[in-house]
Amino acid sequence: MAKIYSKDSLVTKAMKPRKEIVSFLLNYSKALSILKVNNKTFEIISN
Amino acid sequence: MADIQTPDALLVQNYVAGNENALATLIKRHESRIYGFIYSKISDRDISNDIFQDTFIKVIKTLKSNSYNEEGKFLPWVMRISHNLIIDHYRKNKKMPMFRETEEFSIFSIMSDDTPTIENRLISAQVEEDIKRLIEELPLDQKEVLVMRMYQDMSFKEISEITGVSINTSLGRMRYALMNLRKVIDKHQIVLTN
């Protein structure tokens, strides 16, 4: 019965973000450093 | 394989301590759930990718500035960030909705150029010409009132003062002028529409 009345999930593959997005995030994280000086926050992106 | 068993909290700690690989593991572990959650609300792959990216930019900034406190769990926290960004996206879109051209929907079906085409302008000029000719056929007193009212934008009081008749007579002449015009138009079946 279960076979008759249940459908296969329409989502066959797990959805994932684009590889470029993940790669960008990892590179961004590596490049970013945050400095806190006297209640002020500085974001520094190194090349 | 060891990464799978490492708890999120420890990976977060390692990342804050400077281990960049910890972030890669966290993203890999949760990308599917987070992206799936965003896509379930947005139904557009490109926008979902943008929101996913913005979510993790916030995560990275918060962790790097030591502002993250491990009150809850990592995944619910990230989900909350993406949820807020989804709401922001809809708020922005409400102010400026975005339409995409599909097979069933064309943007030009709701957008149109109101400026008259050359054909419209030609027809308008023709209609005006026809009306002028019809007015020429009217008796002089009716023509006089109609021209002053319609083309010179004068009030019936002004017309009556200029023509030396009462306002009621001017109104009557205007009425007869319009009736006569309609009669001629009907009789000759003249089309005066653009």
Side-chain angles (χ1 to χ4, degrees):
Chain A
M1 288 297 271
K3 273 186 188 171
I4 298 168
Y5 290 107
S6 61
K7 281 182 185 171
D8 288 340
S9 170
L10 289 173
V11 183
T12 47
K13 254 192 201 173
M15 296 189 77
K16 282 183 179 180
R18 284 209 315 266
K19 277 180 188 168
E20 296 87 348
I21 302 281
V22 177
S23 161
F24 164 80
L25 287 167
L26 296 175
N27 287 329
Y28 173 77
S29 168
K30 278 176 199 161
L32 178 75
S33 30
I34 293 179
L35 278 180
K36 276 189 176 175
V37 182
N38 299 335
N39 292 333
K40 282 180 183 163
T41 311
F42 297 94
E43 287 177 16
I44 302 158
I45 306 265
S46 50
N47 282 319
Chain B
M1 272 292 145
D3 286 339
I4 295 167
Q5 278 121 33
T6 316
D8 286 352
L10 191 58
L11 286 169
V12 170
Q13 262 181 32
N14 290 345
Y15 176 65
V16 173
N19 180 0
E20 291 290 335
N21 290 332
L23 180 71
T25 311
L26 281 167
I27 292 178
K28 208 170 177 206
R29 189 178 287 176
H30 299 300
E31 62 179 358
S32 179
R33 280 192 70 181
I34 296 163
Y35 184 79
F37 169 72
I38 298 167
Y39 186 80
S40 72
K41 308 269 183 238
I42 298 285
S43 305
D44 181 297
R45 279 183 187 270
D46 291 336
I47 299 167
S48 299
N49 272 305
D50 286 350
I51 293 177
F52 181 88
Q53 181 176 300
D54 290 346
T55 302
F56 270 93
I57 285 176
K58 279 206 167 182
V59 168
I60 291 165
K61 280 186 182 172
T62 311
L63 293 179
K64 289 230 170 192
S65 60
N66 281 322
S67 313
Y68 175 68
N69 47 353
E70 184 68 52
E71 278 172 7
K73 297 239 162 98
F74 176 74
L75 182 62
W77 172 60
V78 181
M79 292 287 230
R80 219 163 37 240
I81 294 173
S82 59
H83 181 252
N84 290 339
L85 289 172
I86 291 165
I87 292 170
D88 287 351
H89 163 77
Y90 278 113
R91 277 198 194 130
K92 251 189 269 164
N93 259 27
K94 214 176 174 185
K95 281 181 199 156
M96 196 187 287
M98 190 181 85
F99 294 102
R100 287 205 171 184
E101 186 114 354
T102 63
E103 275 177 29
E104 298 91 40
F105 171 75
S106 164
I107 188 71
F108 294 109
S109 66
I110 55 165
M111 257 174 72
S112 62
D113 184 7
D114 288 338
T115 50
T117 60
I118 291 175
E119 191 191 356
N120 292 143
R121 269 184 270 165
L122 280 173
I123 295 170
S124 294
Q126 187 63 53
V127 167
E128 274 171 37
E129 197 53 44
D130 287 348
I131 291 173
K132 272 183 195 163
R133 251 187 275 157
L134 288 172
I135 291 168
E136 287 301 320
E137 299 296 319
L138 288 171
L140 194 65
D141 55 349
Q142 291 171 23
K143 185 175 109 182
E144 196 178 44
V145 175
L146 190 133
V147 170
M148 282 188 212
R149 179 74 195 115
M150 303 311 288
Y151 290 93
Q152 292 160 11
D153 205 27
M154 291 163 84
S155 68
F156 281 103
K157 190 168 179 269
E158 288 167 324
I159 294 168
S160 65
E161 279 164 10
I162 291 169
T163 52
V165 293
S166 69
I167 293 178
N168 276 342
T169 308
S170 303
L171 284 164
R173 284 176 182 173
M174 182 72 184
R175 185 166 167 261
Y176 280 111
L178 294 175
M179 277 164 63
N180 285 332
L181 279 178
R182 272 196 205 110
K183 255 189 230 166
V184 180
I185 290 164
D186 286 345
K187 194 178 167 190
H188 299 285
Q189 292 186 327
I190 302 164
V191 180
L192 294 170
T193 49
N194 194 342

